[in-house]
Structure formats: structure tokens, C-alpha cells
Amino acid sequence: QVQLVESGGGLVQAGGSLRLSCAASGRTFINYHMGWFRQAPGKEREFVATIGRSGAITYYATSVKGRFTISRDNAKNTVYLQMNSLKPEDTAVYYCAGTTIFIATTGESYDSWGQGTQVTVSS
């Protein structure tokens, strides 16, 4: 498994932006498809975005499409989530995850997880 550490969360007003980072170590990062998930209090974890090994393929949840952008820098072993036009309903703990099997939108497909970073959007 690869070790993942998220950063960049915080408190922002509605309409604002944040960029989350997820630094990977311990395994060859380029072997991993990477994803972002989130979990709000009292709700199930949900898929946000995923990116293939080379960065050429991305998928987004409908709720964030057009507002969020996932990207990766394989030279820096880091995956990013740029979040624009944030809404109060985006408030959640955001997790990055990695899998070597295939690019996926379900959490069960990922075997490496970070500890999460809190994003709070005030109205």
C-alpha cells in the first residue's frame, strides 16, 4: 500500500475556493489510480473524483462536475483537488485514496487511504 497524507482543508465562505493536496510515499505513485472521496456528518462516504495513472483520464461526481478539478503531479507524488464555487453542502471530511487495480468510483476498489482533511463551507 501507499501512504497518503492530505492537506489544504479549512473554513471558507460559500463561493470560495480551496485546493486539497495528497502526498504519497512508500510505493511507486505512478502505479496508482487516485481518487477523492468525502464524508459529511451522518452521511455515507461518497465519491468525488478520480484520475488515472497518467492523468489523462478523470471522472467526477455529478454534484461537483464543473466546479472541482482533480490533477496529479507524478514527479511530486501528489494528487490535487481544486475546489471552486464551494457550497455549504460540500462541507465534509475529504479523503484521498489509491488503487493499483483499475480507475474506480467506488470506495471498495481502493486499498490505500489518507486520514482525511476537513473542509467547511459557511453560508
mmCIF file with all atom_site columns, all heavy atoms in Angstrom, residues 13-34:
data_model
loop_
_atom_site.group_PDB
_atom_site.id
_atom_site.type_symbol
_atom_site.label_atom_id
_atom_site.label_alt_id
_atom_site.label_comp_id
_atom_site.label_asym_id
_atom_site.label_entity_id
_atom_site.label_seq_id
_atom_site.pdbx_PDB_ins_code
_atom_site.Cartn_x
_atom_site.Cartn_y
_atom_site.Cartn_z
_atom_site.occupancy
_atom_site.B_iso_or_equiv
_atom_site.pdbx_formal_charge
_atom_site.auth_seq_id
_atom_site.auth_comp_id
_atom_site.auth_asym_id
_atom_site.auth_atom_id
_atom_site.pdbx_PDB_model_num
ATOM 1   N N   . GLN A 1 13 ? -15.861 30.629 2.859   1.00 0.00 ? 13 GLN A N   1
ATOM 2   C CA  . GLN A 1 13 ? -17.222 31.075 2.617   1.00 0.00 ? 13 GLN A CA  1
ATOM 3   C C   . GLN A 1 13 ? -17.760 30.480 1.320   1.00 0.00 ? 13 GLN A C   1
ATOM 4   O O   . GLN A 1 13 ? -16.991 30.140 0.406   1.00 0.00 ? 13 GLN A O   1
ATOM 5   C CB  . GLN A 1 13 ? -17.274 32.595 2.543   1.00 0.00 ? 13 GLN A CB  1
ATOM 6   C CG  . GLN A 1 13 ? -17.076 33.295 3.879   1.00 0.00 ? 13 GLN A CG  1
ATOM 7   C CD  . GLN A 1 13 ? -17.310 34.792 3.796   1.00 0.00 ? 13 GLN A CD  1
ATOM 8   O OE1 . GLN A 1 13 ? -17.148 35.397 2.739   1.00 0.00 ? 13 GLN A OE1 1
ATOM 9   N NE2 . GLN A 1 13 ? -17.686 35.391 4.908   1.00 0.00 ? 13 GLN A NE2 1
ATOM 10  N N   . ALA A 1 14 ? -19.060 30.378 1.253   1.00 0.00 ? 14 ALA A N   1
ATOM 11  C CA  . ALA A 1 14 ? -19.689 29.893 0.024   1.00 0.00 ? 14 ALA A CA  1
ATOM 12  C C   . ALA A 1 14 ? -19.244 30.751 -1.156  1.00 0.00 ? 14 ALA A C   1
ATOM 13  O O   . ALA A 1 14 ? -19.150 31.972 -1.052  1.00 0.00 ? 14 ALA A O   1
ATOM 14  C CB  . ALA A 1 14 ? -21.199 29.928 0.167   1.00 0.00 ? 14 ALA A CB  1
ATOM 15  N N   . GLY A 1 15 ? -18.952 30.067 -2.254  1.00 0.00 ? 15 GLY A N   1
ATOM 16  C CA  . GLY A 1 15 ? -18.446 30.743 -3.434  1.00 0.00 ? 15 GLY A CA  1
ATOM 17  C C   . GLY A 1 15 ? -16.930 30.797 -3.506  1.00 0.00 ? 15 GLY A C   1
ATOM 18  O O   . GLY A 1 15 ? -16.368 31.145 -4.550  1.00 0.00 ? 15 GLY A O   1
ATOM 19  N N   . GLY A 1 16 ? -16.277 30.453 -2.411  1.00 0.00 ? 16 GLY A N   1
ATOM 20  C CA  . GLY A 1 16 ? -14.825 30.496 -2.365  1.00 0.00 ? 16 GLY A CA  1
ATOM 21  C C   . GLY A 1 16 ? -14.186 29.247 -2.939  1.00 0.00 ? 16 GLY A C   1
ATOM 22  O O   . GLY A 1 16 ? -14.865 28.355 -3.480  1.00 0.00 ? 16 GLY A O   1
ATOM 23  N N   . SER A 1 17 ? -12.858 29.182 -2.803  1.00 0.00 ? 17 SER A N   1
ATOM 24  C CA  . SER A 1 17 ? -12.082 28.083 -3.371  1.00 0.00 ? 17 SER A CA  1
ATOM 25  C C   . SER A 1 17 ? -11.098 27.532 -2.352  1.00 0.00 ? 17 SER A C   1
ATOM 26  O O   . SER A 1 17 ? -10.657 28.246 -1.450  1.00 0.00 ? 17 SER A O   1
ATOM 27  C CB  . SER A 1 17 ? -11.298 28.565 -4.596  1.00 0.00 ? 17 SER A CB  1
ATOM 28  O OG  . SER A 1 17 ? -12.146 29.030 -5.618  1.00 0.00 ? 17 SER A OG  1
ATOM 29  N N   . LEU A 1 18 ? -10.782 26.269 -2.523  1.00 0.00 ? 18 LEU A N   1
ATOM 30  C CA  . LEU A 1 18 ? -9.722  25.607 -1.764  1.00 0.00 ? 18 LEU A CA  1
ATOM 31  C C   . LEU A 1 18 ? -9.027  24.622 -2.691  1.00 0.00 ? 18 LEU A C   1
ATOM 32  O O   . LEU A 1 18 ? -9.654  24.093 -3.615  1.00 0.00 ? 18 LEU A O   1
ATOM 33  C CB  . LEU A 1 18 ? -10.281 24.835 -0.561  1.00 0.00 ? 18 LEU A CB  1
ATOM 34  C CG  . LEU A 1 18 ? -10.668 25.595 0.705   1.00 0.00 ? 18 LEU A CG  1
ATOM 35  C CD1 . LEU A 1 18 ? -11.311 24.631 1.693   1.00 0.00 ? 18 LEU A CD1 1
ATOM 36  C CD2 . LEU A 1 18 ? -9.465  26.273 1.327   1.00 0.00 ? 18 LEU A CD2 1
ATOM 37  N N   . ARG A 1 19 ? -7.760  24.363 -2.419  1.00 0.00 ? 19 ARG A N   1
ATOM 38  C CA  . ARG A 1 19 ? -7.064  23.296 -3.130  1.00 0.00 ? 19 ARG A CA  1
ATOM 39  C C   . ARG A 1 19 ? -6.539  22.296 -2.120  1.00 0.00 ? 19 ARG A C   1
ATOM 40  O O   . ARG A 1 19 ? -5.735  22.638 -1.247  1.00 0.00 ? 19 ARG A O   1
ATOM 41  C CB  . ARG A 1 19 ? -5.901  23.828 -3.971  1.00 0.00 ? 19 ARG A CB  1
ATOM 42  C CG  . ARG A 1 19 ? -5.298  22.737 -4.850  1.00 0.00 ? 19 ARG A CG  1
ATOM 43  C CD  . ARG A 1 19 ? -4.214  23.240 -5.776  1.00 0.00 ? 19 ARG A CD  1
ATOM 44  N NE  . ARG A 1 19 ? -2.917  23.333 -5.116  1.00 0.00 ? 19 ARG A NE  1
ATOM 45  C CZ  . ARG A 1 19 ? -1.753  23.236 -5.752  1.00 0.00 ? 19 ARG A CZ  1
ATOM 46  N NH1 . ARG A 1 19 ? -1.726  23.035 -7.066  1.00 0.00 ? 19 ARG A NH1 1
ATOM 47  N NH2 . ARG A 1 19 ? -0.621  23.366 -5.087  1.00 0.00 ? 19 ARG A NH2 1
ATOM 48  N N   . LEU A 1 20 ? -6.995  21.078 -2.254  1.00 0.00 ? 20 LEU A N   1
ATOM 49  C CA  . LEU A 1 20 ? -6.517  19.992 -1.418  1.00 0.00 ? 20 LEU A CA  1
ATOM 50  C C   . LEU A 1 20 ? -5.337  19.310 -2.091  1.00 0.00 ? 20 LEU A C   1
ATOM 51  O O   . LEU A 1 20 ? -5.303  19.181 -3.301  1.00 0.00 ? 20 LEU A O   1
ATOM 52  C CB  . LEU A 1 20 ? -7.629  18.972 -1.170  1.00 0.00 ? 20 LEU A CB  1
ATOM 53  C CG  . LEU A 1 20 ? -8.931  19.494 -0.583  1.00 0.00 ? 20 LEU A CG  1
ATOM 54  C CD1 . LEU A 1 20 ? -9.887  18.334 -0.332  1.00 0.00 ? 20 LEU A CD1 1
ATOM 55  C CD2 . LEU A 1 20 ? -8.699  20.294 0.668   1.00 0.00 ? 20 LEU A CD2 1
ATOM 56  N N   . SER A 1 21 ? -4.399  18.870 -1.270  1.00 0.00 ? 21 SER A N   1
ATOM 57  C CA  . SER A 1 21 ? -3.257  18.102 -1.756  1.00 0.00 ? 21 SER A CA  1
ATOM 58  C C   . SER A 1 21 ? -3.210  16.772 -1.036  1.00 0.00 ? 21 SER A C   1
ATOM 59  O O   . SER A 1 21 ? -3.634  16.658 0.110   1.00 0.00 ? 21 SER A O   1
ATOM 60  C CB  . SER A 1 21 ? -1.947  18.860 -1.512  1.00 0.00 ? 21 SER A CB  1
ATOM 61  O OG  . SER A 1 21 ? -1.933  20.100 -2.171  1.00 0.00 ? 21 SER A OG  1
ATOM 62  N N   . CYS A 1 22 ? -2.671  15.792 -1.706  1.00 0.00 ? 22 CYS A N   1
ATOM 63  C CA  . CYS A 1 22 ? -2.492  14.473 -1.113  1.00 0.00 ? 22 CYS A CA  1
ATOM 64  C C   . CYS A 1 22 ? -1.112  13.976 -1.526  1.00 0.00 ? 22 CYS A C   1
ATOM 65  O O   . CYS A 1 22 ? -0.885  13.681 -2.700  1.00 0.00 ? 22 CYS A O   1
ATOM 66  C CB  . CYS A 1 22 ? -3.579  13.528 -1.585  1.00 0.00 ? 22 CYS A CB  1
ATOM 67  S SG  . CYS A 1 22 ? -3.366  11.812 -1.052  1.00 0.00 ? 22 CYS A SG  1
ATOM 68  N N   . ALA A 1 23 ? -0.222  13.896 -0.559  1.00 0.00 ? 23 ALA A N   1
ATOM 69  C CA  . ALA A 1 23 ? 1.149   13.453 -0.814  1.00 0.00 ? 23 ALA A CA  1
ATOM 70  C C   . ALA A 1 23 ? 1.271   11.964 -0.563  1.00 0.00 ? 23 ALA A C   1
ATOM 71  O O   . ALA A 1 23 ? 0.823   11.459 0.470   1.00 0.00 ? 23 ALA A O   1
ATOM 72  C CB  . ALA A 1 23 ? 2.114   14.225 0.067   1.00 0.00 ? 23 ALA A CB  1
ATOM 73  N N   . ALA A 1 24 ? 1.889   11.258 -1.493  1.00 0.00 ? 24 ALA A N   1
ATOM 74  C CA  . ALA A 1 24 ? 2.034   9.811  -1.409  1.00 0.00 ? 24 ALA A CA  1
ATOM 75  C C   . ALA A 1 24 ? 3.484   9.431  -1.155  1.00 0.00 ? 24 ALA A C   1
ATOM 76  O O   . ALA A 1 24 ? 4.410   10.081 -1.640  1.00 0.00 ? 24 ALA A O   1
ATOM 77  C CB  . ALA A 1 24 ? 1.551   9.158  -2.694  1.00 0.00 ? 24 ALA A CB  1
ATOM 78  N N   . SER A 1 25 ? 3.663   8.330  -0.422  1.00 0.00 ? 25 SER A N   1
ATOM 79  C CA  . SER A 1 25 ? 5.003   7.805  -0.175  1.00 0.00 ? 25 SER A CA  1
ATOM 80  C C   . SER A 1 25 ? 4.917   6.306  0.038   1.00 0.00 ? 25 SER A C   1
ATOM 81  O O   . SER A 1 25 ? 3.857   5.762  0.328   1.00 0.00 ? 25 SER A O   1
ATOM 82  C CB  . SER A 1 25 ? 5.630   8.471  1.048   1.00 0.00 ? 25 SER A CB  1
ATOM 83  O OG  . SER A 1 25 ? 4.878   8.178  2.208   1.00 0.00 ? 25 SER A OG  1
ATOM 84  N N   . GLY A 1 26 ? 6.036   5.638  -0.107  1.00 0.00 ? 26 GLY A N   1
ATOM 85  C CA  . GLY A 1 26 ? 6.127   4.231  0.228   1.00 0.00 ? 26 GLY A CA  1
ATOM 86  C C   . GLY A 1 26 ? 5.994   3.276  -0.938  1.00 0.00 ? 26 GLY A C   1
ATOM 87  O O   . GLY A 1 26 ? 6.424   2.143  -0.848  1.00 0.00 ? 26 GLY A O   1
ATOM 88  N N   . ARG A 1 27 ? 5.399   3.664  -1.990  1.00 0.00 ? 27 ARG A N   1
ATOM 89  C CA  . ARG A 1 27 ? 5.266   2.821  -3.178  1.00 0.00 ? 27 ARG A CA  1
ATOM 90  C C   . ARG A 1 27 ? 5.390   3.705  -4.408  1.00 0.00 ? 27 ARG A C   1
ATOM 91  O O   . ARG A 1 27 ? 5.444   4.913  -4.317  1.00 0.00 ? 27 ARG A O   1
ATOM 92  C CB  . ARG A 1 27 ? 3.915   2.095  -3.197  1.00 0.00 ? 27 ARG A CB  1
ATOM 93  C CG  . ARG A 1 27 ? 3.783   0.982  -2.167  1.00 0.00 ? 27 ARG A CG  1
ATOM 94  C CD  . ARG A 1 27 ? 4.643   -0.222 -2.506  1.00 0.00 ? 27 ARG A CD  1
ATOM 95  N NE  . ARG A 1 27 ? 4.430   -1.344 -1.613  1.00 0.00 ? 27 ARG A NE  1
ATOM 96  C CZ  . ARG A 1 27 ? 5.110   -1.570 -0.511  1.00 0.00 ? 27 ARG A CZ  1
ATOM 97  N NH1 . ARG A 1 27 ? 6.065   -0.723 -0.158  1.00 0.00 ? 27 ARG A NH1 1
ATOM 98  N NH2 . ARG A 1 27 ? 4.839   -2.624 0.233   1.00 0.00 ? 27 ARG A NH2 1
ATOM 99  N N   . THR A 1 28 ? 5.451   3.097  -5.570  1.00 0.00 ? 28 THR A N   1
ATOM 100 C CA  . THR A 1 28 ? 5.585   3.843  -6.808  1.00 0.00 ? 28 THR A CA  1
ATOM 101 C C   . THR A 1 28 ? 4.253   4.507  -7.136  1.00 0.00 ? 28 THR A C   1
ATOM 102 O O   . THR A 1 28 ? 3.289   3.838  -7.519  1.00 0.00 ? 28 THR A O   1
ATOM 103 C CB  . THR A 1 28 ? 6.019   2.927  -7.959  1.00 0.00 ? 28 THR A CB  1
ATOM 104 O OG1 . THR A 1 28 ? 7.224   2.261  -7.567  1.00 0.00 ? 28 THR A OG1 1
ATOM 105 C CG2 . THR A 1 28 ? 6.283   3.736  -9.213  1.00 0.00 ? 28 THR A CG2 1
ATOM 106 N N   . PHE A 1 29 ? 4.227   5.818  -6.996  1.00 0.00 ? 29 PHE A N   1
ATOM 107 C CA  . PHE A 1 29 ? 2.985   6.573  -7.118  1.00 0.00 ? 29 PHE A CA  1
ATOM 108 C C   . PHE A 1 29 ? 2.346   6.390  -8.487  1.00 0.00 ? 29 PHE A C   1
ATOM 109 O O   . PHE A 1 29 ? 1.125   6.285  -8.595  1.00 0.00 ? 29 PHE A O   1
ATOM 110 C CB  . PHE A 1 29 ? 3.286   8.047  -6.851  1.00 0.00 ? 29 PHE A CB  1
ATOM 111 C CG  . PHE A 1 29 ? 2.105   8.956  -6.929  1.00 0.00 ? 29 PHE A CG  1
ATOM 112 C CD1 . PHE A 1 29 ? 1.068   8.848  -6.021  1.00 0.00 ? 29 PHE A CD1 1
ATOM 113 C CD2 . PHE A 1 29 ? 2.030   9.946  -7.905  1.00 0.00 ? 29 PHE A CD2 1
ATOM 114 C CE1 . PHE A 1 29 ? -0.024  9.691  -6.080  1.00 0.00 ? 29 PHE A CE1 1
ATOM 115 C CE2 . PHE A 1 29 ? 0.949   10.790 -7.979  1.00 0.00 ? 29 PHE A CE2 1
ATOM 116 C CZ  . PHE A 1 29 ? -0.089  10.669 -7.052  1.00 0.00 ? 29 PHE A CZ  1
ATOM 117 N N   . ILE A 1 30 ? 3.159   6.319  -9.514  1.00 0.00 ? 30 ILE A N   1
ATOM 118 C CA  . ILE A 1 30 ? 2.606   6.270  -10.866 1.00 0.00 ? 30 ILE A CA  1
ATOM 119 C C   . ILE A 1 30 ? 1.849   4.960  -11.127 1.00 0.00 ? 30 ILE A C   1
ATOM 120 O O   . ILE A 1 30 ? 1.089   4.848  -12.078 1.00 0.00 ? 30 ILE A O   1
ATOM 121 C CB  . ILE A 1 30 ? 3.712   6.483  -11.922 1.00 0.00 ? 30 ILE A CB  1
ATOM 122 C CG1 . ILE A 1 30 ? 3.091   6.868  -13.263 1.00 0.00 ? 30 ILE A CG1 1
ATOM 123 C CG2 . ILE A 1 30 ? 4.579   5.234  -12.053 1.00 0.00 ? 30 ILE A CG2 1
ATOM 124 C CD1 . ILE A 1 30 ? 4.085   7.352  -14.276 1.00 0.00 ? 30 ILE A CD1 1
ATOM 125 N N   . ASN A 1 31 ? 2.018   3.981  -10.271 1.00 0.00 ? 31 ASN A N   1
ATOM 126 C CA  . ASN A 1 31 ? 1.280   2.724  -10.414 1.00 0.00 ? 31 ASN A CA  1
ATOM 127 C C   . ASN A 1 31 ? -0.164  2.834  -9.920  1.00 0.00 ? 31 ASN A C   1
ATOM 128 O O   . ASN A 1 31 ? -0.957  1.922  -10.131 1.00 0.00 ? 31 ASN A O   1
ATOM 129 C CB  . ASN A 1 31 ? 1.961   1.599  -9.644  1.00 0.00 ? 31 ASN A CB  1
ATOM 130 C CG  . ASN A 1 31 ? 3.256   1.159  -10.297 1.00 0.00 ? 31 ASN A CG  1
ATOM 131 O OD1 . ASN A 1 31 ? 3.496   1.434  -11.475 1.00 0.00 ? 31 ASN A OD1 1
ATOM 132 N ND2 . ASN A 1 31 ? 4.095   0.491  -9.535  1.00 0.00 ? 31 ASN A ND2 1
ATOM 133 N N   . TYR A 1 32 ? -0.485  3.949  -9.261  1.00 0.00 ? 32 TYR A N   1
ATOM 134 C CA  . TYR A 1 32 ? -1.771  4.096  -8.596  1.00 0.00 ? 32 TYR A CA  1
ATOM 135 C C   . TYR A 1 32 ? -2.723  5.022  -9.351  1.00 0.00 ? 32 TYR A C   1
ATOM 136 O O   . TYR A 1 32 ? -2.353  6.141  -9.724  1.00 0.00 ? 32 TYR A O   1
ATOM 137 C CB  . TYR A 1 32 ? -1.577  4.622  -7.175  1.00 0.00 ? 32 TYR A CB  1
ATOM 138 C CG  . TYR A 1 32 ? -1.065  3.590  -6.216  1.00 0.00 ? 32 TYR A CG  1
ATOM 139 C CD1 . TYR A 1 32 ? 0.285   3.259  -6.189  1.00 0.00 ? 32 TYR A CD1 1
ATOM 140 C CD2 . TYR A 1 32 ? -1.936  2.940  -5.349  1.00 0.00 ? 32 TYR A CD2 1
ATOM 141 C CE1 . TYR A 1 32 ? 0.748   2.287  -5.320  1.00 0.00 ? 32 TYR A CE1 1
ATOM 142 C CE2 . TYR A 1 32 ? -1.469  1.974  -4.463  1.00 0.00 ? 32 TYR A CE2 1
ATOM 143 C CZ  . TYR A 1 32 ? -0.126  1.657  -4.463  1.00 0.00 ? 32 TYR A CZ  1
ATOM 144 O OH  . TYR A 1 32 ? 0.319   0.683  -3.609  1.00 0.00 ? 32 TYR A OH  1
ATOM 145 N N   . HIS A 1 33 ? -3.937  4.534  -9.536  1.00 0.00 ? 33 HIS A N   1
ATOM 146 C CA  . HIS A 1 33 ? -5.046  5.426  -9.857  1.00 0.00 ? 33 HIS A CA  1
ATOM 147 C C   . HIS A 1 33 ? -5.451  6.073  -8.527  1.00 0.00 ? 33 HIS A C   1
ATOM 148 O O   . HIS A 1 33 ? -5.476  5.403  -7.488  1.00 0.00 ? 33 HIS A O   1
ATOM 149 C CB  . HIS A 1 33 ? -6.238  4.652  -10.417 1.00 0.00 ? 33 HIS A CB  1
ATOM 150 C CG  . HIS A 1 33 ? -5.893  3.775  -11.572 1.00 0.00 ? 33 HIS A CG  1
ATOM 151 N ND1 . HIS A 1 33 ? -5.558  4.271  -12.820 1.00 0.00 ? 33 HIS A ND1 1
ATOM 152 C CD2 . HIS A 1 33 ? -5.839  2.426  -11.668 1.00 0.00 ? 33 HIS A CD2 1
ATOM 153 C CE1 . HIS A 1 33 ? -5.329  3.252  -13.624 1.00 0.00 ? 33 HIS A CE1 1
ATOM 154 N NE2 . HIS A 1 33 ? -5.481  2.125  -12.959 1.00 0.00 ? 33 HIS A NE2 1
ATOM 155 N N   . MET A 1 34 ? -5.780  7.358  -8.574  1.00 0.00 ? 34 MET A N   1
ATOM 156 C CA  . MET A 1 34 ? -6.061  8.074  -7.339  1.00 0.00 ? 34 MET A CA  1
ATOM 157 C C   . MET A 1 34 ? -7.479  8.642  -7.343  1.00 0.00 ? 34 MET A C   1
ATOM 158 O O   . MET A 1 34 ? -8.011  9.038  -8.395  1.00 0.00 ? 34 MET A O   1
ATOM 159 C CB  . MET A 1 34 ? -5.068  9.219  -7.161  1.00 0.00 ? 34 MET A CB  1
ATOM 160 C CG  . MET A 1 34 ? -3.616  8.771  -7.064  1.00 0.00 ? 34 MET A CG  1
ATOM 161 S SD  . MET A 1 34 ? -3.302  7.723  -5.632  1.00 0.00 ? 34 MET A SD  1
ATOM 162 C CE  . MET A 1 34 ? -3.681  8.853  -4.287  1.00 0.00 ? 34 MET A CE  1
#
